[in-house]
Amino acid sequence: MYKNLLNKAREAREKSFCSYSGFAVGAALLCSDGEIFTGCNIENISYSLTNCAERTAIFKAVSEGKKDFTAIAVVGSVKSCDCFESQCFPCGACLQVMSEFCGSDFEVILAEHGEAKVYKFNELMPRIFDSKF
Ligand code: THU
């Protein structure tokens, strides 16, 4: 079901700028209207300015006026290797950004040995920061 989305994440990973870590990540974000926004990690010589693939995709989509999302596919591995043996889980910063826009039905799709693994967002982030108390 999410094969196409994972393929888009793989294609996006090819554009990764990861000169410092050598770890290339690609993401593909599915909007509820069917549109897909992709992103890759973009590193910087001032390391902390690096942007993760997931946030690149989300920021691209939001900056184009989209705010309803269904799922995100993420793949990552060392740049020289196109094999996705282990799942590349989104980091905490990306999960926090997802929490701003994505409901609990939102799904995160990862690849492991060529197979899609599907998680509900709140499995990966059961508690979120929320100042609206
Ligand atoms: N990275 C992502 O693109 N997404 C994540 O969720 C975690 C890490 C990137 C950042 C950096 O360029 C590289 O992976 C190694 O940490």
Side-chain angles (χ1 to χ4, degrees):
M1 178 184 170
Y2 282 124
K3 216 172 166 198
N4 179 47
L5 205 60
L6 273 171
N7 281 335
K8 296 271 186 212
R10 282 193 191 103
E11 281 169 30
R13 179 182 164 276
E14 314 258 309
K15 308 255 176 25
S16 164
F17 180 75
C18 58
S19 308
Y20 304 102
S21 74
F23 193 81
V25 185
L29 178 69
L30 177 64
C31 301
S32 51
D33 64 5
E35 198 171 347
I36 293 172
F37 286 83
T38 59
C40 62
N41 55 330
I42 305 167
E43 299 188 347
N44 189 272
I45 192 160
S46 178
Y47 299 168
S48 64
L49 300 181
T50 292
N51 206 56
C52 291
E54 300 91 316
R55 279 178 289 142
T56 302
I58 294 167
F59 294 155
K60 280 171 68 181
V62 174
S63 70
E64 294 298 321
K66 305 286 177 174
K67 284 192 193 63
D68 290 317
F69 306 120
T70 306
I72 191 167
V74 186
V75 295
S77 62
V78 289
K79 194 176 169 63
S80 54
C81 173
D82 261 338
C83 44
F84 304 106
E85 277 158 22
S86 51
Q87 301 173 59
C88 179
F89 285 92
C91 74
C94 289
L95 290 171
Q96 180 65 34
V97 169
M98 284 176 208
S99 76
E100 187 72 42
F101 300 105
C102 309
S104 53
D105 281 349
F106 183 76
E107 291 184 314
V108 178
I109 322 304
L110 308 177
E112 185 180 60
H113 293 294
E115 260 184 57
K117 304 280 180 188
V118 181
Y119 298 87
K120 290 280 183 213
F121 174 76
N122 56 6
E123 274 183 84
L124 301 187
M125 198 182 204
R127 299 277 188 275
I128 59 169
F129 172 72
D130 184 355
S131 63
K132 300 183 279 288
F133 47 82

